[in-house]
Amino acid sequence: MLDIPLPVLLGQVTIGLVNGCFYAMLSLGLAVIFGLLNVINFSHGAVYMLGAFAAYLGSRWLGINYWIALFIVPVVVGAFGMLVERLLLRRLTGLDHLYSLLLTFGLALVLEGIFLDIYGSAGQSYNGPPQLDGLVDLGFMRLPLYRVWVVAVSLAVCVGIWLLIERTSLGAYLRAGTENARLVQALGINVPLMITLTYGLGVGLAALAGVLAAPIYQVQPLMGSNLLIIAFAVVVIGGLGSTLGAILTGLGLGIIEGLSKVFYPEISSTTVFIIMALVLLVRPAGLFGREA
Amino acid sequence: MTTSLALSTPISAATEMGPTAAAAAQRRQILALQDVHAWYGESHILHGMTLSVAEGEVVSLLGRNGGGRTTTLRAIMGLVDRRKGSIRIAGAEVIALPPHRIARLGVGYCPEERGIFASLTCEENLRLPPSQAGGGMSVDEIYALLPNLAERRKTQGTRLSGGEQQMLAIARVLRTGSRLLLLDEISEGLAPVIVDRLLELITRLKSLNYTILLVEQNTHFVEDLADRHFVVERGQVVLHVTAAELASSAELLERYIGV
C-alpha cells in the first residue's frame, strides 16, 4: 500500500475533487428542495442533463458560446423548473412523499426519453471555451485548466449559496420554512412564492452543473441518472435538508472515491454506498442532520 | 388595495381606557366571525363559531381542551385544512385568503407551541416576519421593553427559556406593526413569576390600544385583563360573559370550564 507514489495519490485526489464538485452542486439543490418542499426530486439528474444539452444545442443552433450559456442556461432551465412547480408539483402539496417522487421520476423518464429518441445514447461532444484550453502544472500532475475552473466555480457557488442561506434574511425565511412552512406563512411571508423560487434555484443549480460538465463528460441523455443516485447518497450521508452537509459530503465523497481508485479500484464505484451504510448505522440522521 | 390595522391606530393615539361592553359595542369591529366551520381532514372541528372583537378590546376564549379554541385562532389565520362561513378583519372578508395575506392585514399570531425556530438565532426569529404597514415597534424598542432578549440576541432560538421564548413569540409580531393579536395559551407551562411578567406585558399592550384575542386555560390570568369572555365547547360559543358579569357568573363558568 505504501509503495504508491505521492503524485499518483494526489492526482486521484484532484480528479476526485472535480467529481466531488458536481456531487456537491447537485446535492445542495436536492437538499434545499427537500428541506422546504419535502419533495424527493427525482428529476434532478434530468435537469442536469437538460443543462448540458441546452449548452450543446445553444452552441450548435444559435451559436451561443460557453460564457453566455453559463449564465443563460441556469436561468432558462430554472424557469422551466418553476413552471413545473407551479403547474404540477404544487397540486401534490400535502399528499404523501410518494406522489411527488413518482411525478418527478416520471418527468425524468419523459425528458430522458425525448432526448434518447432524438440523439440516441451516444455522447455528443461539446467544446469548452478556448480561453480555458491548456494545462496547469500543479507540480505533482498537469491538470487541464478547465477542471481547475470547474472546481473554482462550483466552490464559489456552493459557498455563495451557503452564505445566502445561513447569513441573510432571505436565508432565514428558508431555514424557518424548512422547520415549519405553515407558521412562516402565518407570520406574513409569501411561502408559495418562496417555494417556487427555491425549486427554481435548485433546478438552476443542477443546470449550471450540467453546463460545467458538458465539456468534460459526454453530453448524453442518461448522463444525469448515474450522478443522481450518488447525489441522493450524498444528501442522506450529509443529513436530509442540511446544506452544509450536502456541500462538504459531496466534496469529501468525491475525494474518497478518487482515493479508493488508487487502493482498490474494483470498489471505487461502490465506496459511496458503503459509506452511506456505515454512516446510517452510526448516525441515522446523517453527519450534519439534526437528530430527531 | 388592502386595509391595514397598523395604519388605523398609531401608538401615539393610544389612550388609557377601561372599555365597558356597551362602549365596545359601539366601537369598530376589528374581528368578526360569523357561523365559521372548520375542518382538519375529515374532522369537523368548528361548528358555527360566531364572535366579534372591537378595536382595543381584550377578549378571552375559555373552555376545556379540545373544545375548538385553538382551532378558532388557526381558522382565523387560515391554518386549517378547510373553513367556511365569514371571517372579517377590519371589515375585509378573509375566508378565502391565504395565511400570509391575512397576516399582512395586521394580524399577529402566537401559536400554542410558540413557534420559535431552532435554526434561527433569537434576533433572526425577531426579525423574521416582514413589517406590515409600519408603526410597529423597532427592534431597539423591543429590547428596551424586554432586556432579556437583548442579552440573548445571538442565542439559538430554542435555547431560550420557555418564558423568553414566549416573550420572543409576542415581540416578533409586535415588530411587524400588527394591531390585532391572537395569543394561544401564552401562560401555559410557565413559572408564576414569568406569568406575572406576561400579564404586565399584555396589560401594557391593552393600554396601547392593541386588540387582543386570547385563548387561555388559566382563568386567573384573564379575569382582570379581559373585557369579555367567550366559553367555547364543541366548536361553538356556549356562553358570553362580560368583565362586569364575571363575578356573578362564577358558578356557571365553573360548570363549563371546571375540571
Side-chain angles (χ1 to χ4, degrees):
Chain A
M1 214 182 230
L2 292 172
D3 55 355
I4 291 162
L6 192 64
V8 173
L9 203 66
L10 290 174
Q12 285 302 332
V13 167
T14 316
I15 291 169
L17 184 64
V18 175
N19 288 333
C21 284
F22 289 107
Y23 300 162
M25 271 197 290
L26 284 189
S27 312
L28 178 58
L30 281 176
V32 170
I33 289 172
F34 179 80
L36 186 64
L37 282 78
N38 264 316
V39 167
I40 301 168
N41 190 28
F42 258 85
S43 60
H44 218 66
V47 292
Y48 161 81
M49 175 273 290
L50 217 52
F53 260 100
Y56 165 73
L57 295 176
S59 126
R60 246 187 58 178
W61 294 347
L62 305 170
I64 291 174
N65 77 25
Y66 173 86
W67 302 106
I68 297 173
L70 203 58
F71 285 95
I72 287 187
V73 169
V75 173
V76 172
V77 178
F80 166 75
M82 291 192 242
L83 212 62
V84 167
E85 194 282 323
R86 268 284 147 109
L87 298 179
L88 302 171
L89 271 176
R90 173 149 307 183
R91 294 169 193 276
L92 303 177
T93 317
L95 296 177
D96 193 89
H97 285 320
L98 204 55
Y99 289 89
S100 55
L101 187 151
L102 286 174
L103 174 75
T104 54
F105 186 58
L107 187 67
L109 291 181
V110 170
L111 289 173
E112 287 172 355
I114 291 172
F115 281 89
L116 269 176
D117 198 47
I118 303 174
Y119 297 97
S121 53
Q124 319 287 327
S125 67
Y126 175 77
N127 292 327
Q131 296 89 332
L132 295 178
D133 282 346
L135 298 168
V136 184
D137 196 345
L138 297 177
F140 54 90
M141 72 177 294
R142 282 143 69 90
L143 191 68
L145 181 57
Y146 185 78
R147 298 194 183 222
V148 178
W149 160 252
V150 166
V151 173
V153 171
S154 19
L155 286 182
V157 166
C158 286
V159 169
I161 289 184
W162 181 76
L163 286 175
L164 176 78
I165 293 173
E166 296 298 326
R167 294 282 180 270
T168 69
S169 57
L170 213 60
Y173 291 168
L174 189 74
R175 276 176 284 146
T178 298
E179 282 186 55
N180 186 345
R182 296 281 278 171
L183 178 60
V184 170
Q185 195 177 1
L187 291 173
I189 292 150
N190 189 343
V191 171
L193 177 66
M194 192 167 101
I195 284 177
T196 305
L197 293 176
T198 302
Y199 193 75
L201 172 76
V203 167
L205 206 55
L208 175 66
V211 180
L212 286 172
I216 301 183
Y217 308 116
Q218 297 275 306
V219 178
Q220 53 111 339
L222 298 178
M223 65 190 289
S225 27
N226 301 326
L227 199 56
L228 181 67
I229 303 301
I230 295 177
F232 272 125
V234 168
V235 173
V236 171
I237 296 169
L240 277 179
S242 162
T243 46
L244 188 63
I247 296 170
L248 294 181
T249 310
L251 295 171
L253 279 187
I255 292 171
I256 291 172
E257 201 184 36
L259 282 175
S260 68
K261 279 187 186 135
V262 180
F263 295 112
Y264 190 32
E266 292 80 0
I267 210 175
S268 66
S269 57
T270 326
T271 323
V272 171
F273 303 101
I274 296 171
I275 293 174
M276 180 170 85
L278 291 176
V279 167
L280 290 183
L281 279 175
V282 183
R283 280 184 68 96
L287 292 176
F288 295 81
R290 234 181 233 111
E291 303 283 345
Chain B
M1 183 70 198
T2 52
T3 28
S4 172
L5 298 176
L7 279 180
S8 61
T9 49
I11 290 181
S12 56
T15 48
E16 298 263 358
M17 54 178 145
T20 64
Q26 282 156 20
R27 271 182 287 148
R28 196 158 77 103
Q29 296 298 313
I30 289 295
L31 175 68
L33 278 68
Q34 184 69 44
D35 194 28
V36 173
H37 291 253
W39 289 262
Y40 289 118
E42 293 297 307
S43 325
H44 190 171
I45 310 288
L46 297 188
H47 297 264
M49 281 291 297
T50 298
L51 61 87
S52 63
V53 184
E55 188 167 10
E57 245 192 331
V58 175
V59 170
S60 83
L61 297 180
L62 301 172
R64 294 195 181 91
N65 281 331
R69 297 170 304 145
T70 291
T71 306
T72 303
L73 298 193
R74 293 181 60 88
I76 295 167
M77 289 314 300
L79 294 174
V80 292
D81 292 343
R82 194 156 70 84
R83 52 186 183 155
K84 86 180 192 6
S86 165
I87 300 173
R88 291 182 164 271
I89 291 170
E93 180 58 65
V94 303
I95 196 87
L97 291 186
H100 64 278
R101 299 271 309 276
I102 295 170
R104 286 176 191 180
L105 292 173
V107 187
Y109 171 57
C110 289
E112 190 173 10
E113 70 284 1
R114 299 182 189 126
I116 298 304
F117 296 100
S119 52
L120 274 59
T121 63
C122 171
E123 182 152 323
E124 281 178 322
N125 267 287
L126 186 58
R127 291 181 183 274
L128 183 73
S131 292
Q132 319 301 354
M137 290 188 191
S138 70
V139 170
D140 289 339
E141 281 174 287
I142 286 169
Y143 283 153
L145 191 67
L146 304 165
N148 278 25
L149 296 184
E151 283 166 31
R152 312 206 58 185
R153 63 177 77 192
K154 297 282 177 219
T155 308
Q156 183 191 343
T158 45
R159 299 222 165 166
L160 301 178
S161 72
E164 286 167 335
Q165 287 190 36
Q166 190 61 70
M167 298 290 181
L168 178 56
I170 298 171
R172 180 167 70 181
V173 293
L174 294 180
R175 198 190 63 82
T176 66
S178 296
R179 301 290 307 185
L180 168 60
L181 308 181
L182 309 179
L183 310 178
D184 198 347
E185 298 276 16
I186 53 172
S187 72
E188 192 185 29
L190 299 179
V193 55
I194 307 290
V195 173
D196 288 344
R197 287 197 47 208
L198 269 176
L199 194 58
E200 273 169 41
L201 175 65
I202 304 300
T203 307
R204 175 153 165 69
L205 293 176
K206 184 183 178 182
S207 73
L208 291 170
N209 206 33
Y210 279 83
T211 307
I212 300 172
L213 182 60
L214 288 155
V215 166
E216 259 310 321
Q217 195 67 35
N218 181 352
T219 319
H220 296 296
F221 187 78
V222 288
E223 62 190 3
D224 296 326
L225 184 67
D227 302 304
R228 292 187 293 137
H229 310 269
F230 289 100
V231 178
V232 179
E233 223 175 77
R234 293 182 300 279
Q236 281 177 322
V237 171
V238 292
L239 187 67
H240 175 207
V241 182
T242 63
E245 296 163 348
L246 193 62
S248 57
S249 325
E251 218 171 284
L252 189 60
L253 258 177
E254 188 63 25
R255 207 178 323 141
Y256 276 113
I257 61 180
V259 277

